[in-house]
Amino acid sequence: MRATTFHFSPSSTVIRSAPKKSHASRPPVISIGDATFYRQHPASAKASNPPFFSGLTFSLPSFPARPQFWSVISPSSTAKTTFLEVLQGQHICIPPNGRSFPYLSTDDIATKDLHLRVPARAIRYVGFNGSSSTAGGLGTRGAYLSARYESRREDTDFSLLDYLMGKTSLNASEEVVVSGEAVKKEDTLREVIQQLNLETLLDLPVGNLSNGQTRRARIAKALMSAPEALLLDEPFMGLDPPTTSTISSLLYNLAAANSPRIVLGLRPQDRLPEWITHLVYLESDHIVAQLGPREAVLNALRAVWRPASLPHNSWAVGSKPKSAGQSTTFSSSQNASQPKGGLSKPSSEGAHLEKSQETLIEMSGVEIKYGEKQVLGAWEQIVDGKPRKGLWWTVKRGSRWGIFGPNGSGKTTILSLICSDHPQTYSAPVQLFGRSRLPTPGQPGISIFDVQSRIGHSSPEVHAFFPRELTIRQTLENAWADTFRGKALLSHENDLVVDACLRWFERELHPACSGPDPADPAQQVKPTKHVRQGKQVEAYIARDIDWADSVRFGDVSVAAQRVALLLRALVKKPDVVILDEAFSAMDAATRDKCMTFLAHGESVYLQARKKRDAAPEKVVTTLASEGKVVISGLEAHQALICVSHLAEEVPDLVTEWMCLPEPNEGKSVRFGTRGSSGSKSGKWWDAIWKV
């Protein structure tokens, strides 16, 4: 049998030539037949060990006669990730022979690499929905938030080349390999670097890579082991539309060459690449609702999922994409109706009254450079009728901003200047709450503690560094602490606010919470024994929240962690609320509940209607009716700054936007407003991306 070799083609990906054999005669990589799965063996004494994916039948062919490119979609990130784990060989399978990996036992694998007999090595899982935003779990550069912006490189700032070669420890032992294996590894490395366009990034620290660059780096790392299948969990999360298209094209090239086979894990709100041919749709309770060819599954889902108002590069369920490279999206949620019961959508009038009074953040010609490389402000803006260099931007009290732009355009840099995490905040022309970081004649500089006490911040960077050992209650209380592990200075009023948040989001934060949502008004009332004015009175039920003192931040799902960090940013009513990809990793229902809470607090609940295809409606809660609301949503004196790459994850409260240009493009920053008509039509999102 001919040995496996590698070759490179500029228009394709790393392709391994296969021994000559009929494709039809090759067994599948993964074969599952009428199997049910458990986290522990069903004969164990575990009290909670429900079955999942009961009666599953699934096959991932090795060399199909017709292309089969699979995607697993679910509103539950837990269900989706669990399904991908099943494909990799994890969890208990009943019957034991219900899951097999036939292709891994063939002579092809023996010729290629005997290590690939093991499913965990032949089938690689790469998740992008975790709390770490950098490659391979290395974490954001450094031991603290501002370390990634420092010019000094530490010994532990491993380069991308080190990462790809597996040299990510200070005392890494030399790998002993025979000369042939060494040459093969070098050839694979060279081909992977060329295919993923990583040549110019090899010397950069891994922690300095942008989101799109990190995606490519992690895919390259997985390809270094030459797997037979690659399971990518939410590869498009946090990416701008152009980068999403680039990564999608890259993945198609890999899948088309069967080198490796690709299975994508996506959320309902994600864009579905046109090249995907087969779908698995999972319900939140780990049930396979639909499985099969793409159009058949989409047509079946059309009766359940309503067409939504979508961005320019997406279409409603069942509709056909207009051109290659574009995509489909479907969602169970969209902007709901006005709340029933006397409350209306938050008015922006109060915000505009406050806006004219005080400037909270002012940037007057900000330019950020690292040596010769300029990462922000490489343009001219018209200010007072004159062209001026750098970024000129003002955030007034009560304003609602969205910051958009391609990956690497400087969005995170702007937020780091506002939060004073960036060392150049000291020298840049930035005013925070009317003061600069350094003293000026007659005015002292503002301290880092003063700045951060007036800002609520949720971002992937905060998520990466946040202590996992804190309880859920301590996570919310940390809003009143100076540091992540500092002591929170709490008052009785602060305790009431934390309690209210824990009760409202018990379903999302408490893993053992099941059944109806405790925040649903129907769950908040019960008849009392006394009568007022001849009528039976209904009173609010104060639920027990002792669970929050024992459930740790690290024990809950990534989506629950994002909810907790969002609440941490809101609970103390800071002057500025910064939400950087705060709603990513959440399912559509949780995201919409959080957005409703941001706007209305406990006053309004987003309630599902009896008809499955009907939009949820906003209803006034019992708390509002009884005048017991503790949190009323974002207030007029607060400013909001939101960063997102998905229109669905931009709150309706956002009224103004700034779009940064592509790095080194030579174009200027653009500003705009989000009109009431554009909010529903999606035209404002089209204007941002110039579609």
Side-chain angles (χ1 to χ4, degrees):
M1 184 174 294
R2 191 176 67 181
T4 303
T5 59
F6 288 77
H7 70 272
F8 167 71
S9 170
S11 62
S12 62
T13 187
V14 181
I15 302 176
R16 297 183 293 276
S17 58
K20 294 181 179 180
K21 183 184 290 187
S22 170
H23 290 340
S25 65
R26 301 189 186 182
V29 177
I30 304 170
S31 177
I32 300 175
D34 196 19
T36 300
F37 298 88
Y38 298 83
R39 298 191 184 278
Q40 292 88 28
H41 196 279
S44 67
K46 294 287 185 180
S48 178
N49 185 31
F52 49 89
F53 310 137
S54 299
L56 174 64
T57 297
F58 176 84
S59 177
L60 181 66
S62 55
F63 294 94
R66 300 181 64 181
Q68 283 195 27
F69 305 135
W70 285 87
S71 178
V72 181
I73 300 175
S74 176
S76 167
S77 60
T78 302
K80 169 172 50 60
T81 301
T82 302
F83 190 91
L84 296 179
E85 291 172 347
V86 165
L87 298 187
Q88 197 185 23
Q90 299 184 47
H91 304 296
I92 303 296
C93 177
I94 301 297
N97 61 354
R99 174 178 57 189
S100 60
F101 306 91
Y103 183 67
L104 304 186
S105 300
T106 64
D107 293 339
D108 291 358
I109 298 299
T111 304
K112 187 181 305 178
D113 186 352
L114 285 174
H115 291 95
L116 298 180
R117 296 282 199 200
V118 181
R121 291 189 175 185
I123 304 170
R124 294 284 183 172
Y125 170 87
V126 182
F128 298 99
N129 61 348
S131 58
S132 176
S133 60
T134 55
L138 289 177
T140 306
R141 178 187 174 194
Y144 45 93
L145 276 172
S146 61
R148 67 179 300 188
Y149 305 109
E150 296 175 351
S151 59
R152 173 184 168 86
R153 286 184 60 171
E154 305 290 347
D155 292 337
T156 53
D157 295 336
F158 300 109
S159 69
L160 174 58
L161 182 60
D162 292 332
Y163 170 67
L164 295 178
M165 295 295 291
K167 299 177 180 179
T168 53
S169 60
L170 292 177
N171 297 309
S173 59
E174 292 294 331
E175 184 178 5
V176 179
V177 294
V178 296
S179 59
E181 289 296 319
V183 171
K184 181 177 178 180
K185 185 172 184 179
E186 290 179 1
D187 290 344
T188 303
L189 175 66
R190 182 176 63 255
E191 292 167 350
V192 166
I193 289 172
Q194 289 176 328
Q195 291 297 337
L196 302 185
N197 194 24
L198 297 173
E199 294 94 336
T200 60
L201 308 176
L202 294 178
D203 292 331
L204 287 178
V206 174
N208 287 19
L209 301 179
S210 69
N211 273 339
Q213 293 165 347
T214 297
R215 295 293 196 278
R216 286 186 282 148
R218 296 192 63 190
I219 293 171
K221 177 66 173 177
L223 291 177
M224 285 296 295
S225 61
E228 292 301 318
L230 192 57
L231 314 178
L232 300 178
D233 200 354
E234 299 187 14
F236 306 132
M237 188 177 72
L239 297 183
D240 60 77
T243 305
T244 298
S245 178
T246 300
I247 297 295
S248 178
S249 297
L250 162 70
L251 297 179
Y252 169 72
N253 289 335
L254 293 169
N258 289 313
S259 179
R261 295 93 184 154
I262 300 289
V263 178
L264 302 183
L266 300 176
R267 304 171 296 171
Q269 62 264 41
D270 289 331
R271 278 61 174 164
L272 182 62
E274 188 191 48
W275 52 269
I276 291 294
T277 62
H278 288 69
L279 298 176
V280 178
Y281 187 84
L282 309 173
E283 298 284 4
S284 299
D285 49 2
H286 293 67
I287 293 177
V288 179
Q290 298 289 335
L291 184 152
R294 171 186 177 131
E295 290 304 319
V297 172
L298 291 179
N299 288 334
L301 292 173
R302 184 185 300 178
V304 178
W305 297 94
R306 296 171 293 102
S309 299
L310 302 170
H312 67 273
N313 62 341
S314 55
W315 294 267
V317 174
S319 62
K320 187 176 181 180
K322 297 180 181 178
S323 62
Q326 293 183 316
S327 53
T328 300
T329 184
F330 49 93
S331 175
S332 62
S333 61
Q334 68 181 58
N335 295 335
S337 59
Q338 299 294 330
K340 285 189 175 182
L343 292 180
S344 61
K345 187 175 181 178
S347 172
S348 60
E349 295 180 1
H352 286 301
L353 290 175
E354 294 282 355
K355 265 179 69 175
S356 63
Q357 295 178 4
E358 182 183 355
T359 296
L360 299 180
I361 300 165
E362 186 172 12
M363 298 187 179
S364 306
V366 171
E367 297 181 79
I368 301 299
K369 298 180 180 180
Y370 304 134
E372 298 297 323
K373 182 180 180 181
Q374 186 162 353
V375 298
L376 182 66
W379 59 71
E380 287 188 347
Q381 285 180 237
I382 302 300
V383 182
D384 297 329
K386 298 180 180 180
R388 296 182 181 273
K389 292 184 178 180
L391 174 62
W392 295 73
W393 182 48
T394 300
V395 177
K396 292 186 176 293
R397 189 177 290 281
S399 58
R400 309 286 190 257
W401 279 95
I403 302 179
F404 309 110
N407 293 110
S409 59
K411 301 184 296 296
T412 302
T413 301
I414 291 177
L415 300 184
S416 68
L417 292 170
I418 295 173
C419 296
S420 205
D421 292 322
H422 202 296
Q424 294 189 41
T425 307
Y426 288 91
S427 57
V430 178
Q431 292 275 322
L432 303 173
F433 308 106
R435 296 154 63 187
S436 61
R437 285 303 310 274
L438 294 177
T440 57
Q443 189 177 52
I446 187 169
S447 72
I448 180 68
F449 300 109
D450 289 337
V451 171
Q452 296 190 350
S453 68
R454 301 181 66 176
I455 293 176
H457 184 200
S458 175
S459 70
E461 287 74 23
V462 171
H463 195 175
F465 282 104
F466 199 80
R468 269 50 184 168
E469 69 272 14
L470 296 186
T471 66
I472 296 298
R473 175 179 287 279
Q474 290 172 332
T475 298
L476 272 61
E477 293 175 345
N478 185 254
W480 287 277
D482 290 333
T483 63
F484 286 157
R485 289 184 170 85
K487 181 177 177 59
L489 302 178
L490 300 171
S491 65
H492 176 64
E493 289 73 17
N494 300 153
D495 288 333
L496 294 178
V497 173
V498 171
D499 290 349
C501 290
L502 293 174
R503 290 192 179 98
W504 196 260
F505 286 95
E506 179 181 356
R507 185 177 187 179
E508 290 73 24
L509 297 175
H510 187 196
C513 181
S514 59
D517 187 355
D520 191 327
Q523 306 301 314
Q524 296 177 355
V525 296
K526 68 176 181 180
T528 59
K529 295 181 179 180
H530 62 279
V531 176
R532 292 181 186 172
Q533 298 179 352
K535 295 182 179 180
Q536 186 169 256
V537 178
E538 294 182 331
Y540 173 65
I541 302 174
R543 294 178 62 88
D544 175 61
I545 50 176
D546 290 343
W547 58 267
D549 294 315
S550 57
V551 176
R552 296 184 302 172
F553 182 81
D555 294 336
V556 299
S557 66
V558 172
Q561 292 174 0
R562 290 292 174 93
V563 172
L565 293 178
L566 172 67
L567 296 176
R568 175 182 174 270
L570 299 176
V571 286
K572 68 175 181 179
K573 294 289 183 183
D575 290 325
V576 179
V577 175
I578 297 177
L579 303 181
D580 181 7
E581 301 288 351
F583 304 101
S584 62
M586 297 182 189
D587 60 68
T590 301
R591 178 199 67 209
D592 292 347
K593 181 178 178 179
C594 288
M595 287 188 178
T596 303
F597 186 79
L598 176 67
H600 301 280
E602 301 172 286
S603 300
V604 172
Y605 178 76
L606 198 62
Q607 191 173 62
R609 303 194 189 191
K610 293 182 178 180
K611 292 181 63 177
R612 294 189 66 184
D613 61 341
E617 63 177 341
K618 295 177 180 176
V619 297
V620 177
T621 64
T622 306
L623 290 172
S625 301
E626 297 182 357
K628 296 181 179 180
V629 170
V630 178
I631 303 176
S632 56
L634 202 68
E635 297 181 358
H637 75 275
Q638 297 178 275
L640 173 66
I641 300 175
C642 176
V643 175
S644 179
H645 293 105
L646 282 177
E648 296 88 347
E649 295 178 359
V650 179
D652 288 342
L653 295 175
V654 171
T655 57
E656 302 173 89
W657 57 263
M658 169 173 63
C659 185
L660 302 174
E662 188 80 33
N664 304 316
E665 192 178 41
K667 297 182 180 180
S668 180
V669 62
R670 294 180 293 115
F671 295 88
T673 58
R674 179 180 179 181
S676 58
S677 60
S679 175
K680 294 183 178 180
S681 66
K683 292 181 180 179
W684 68 277
W685 192 251
D686 293 346
I688 290 173
W689 298 103
K690 287 191 172 182
V691 176

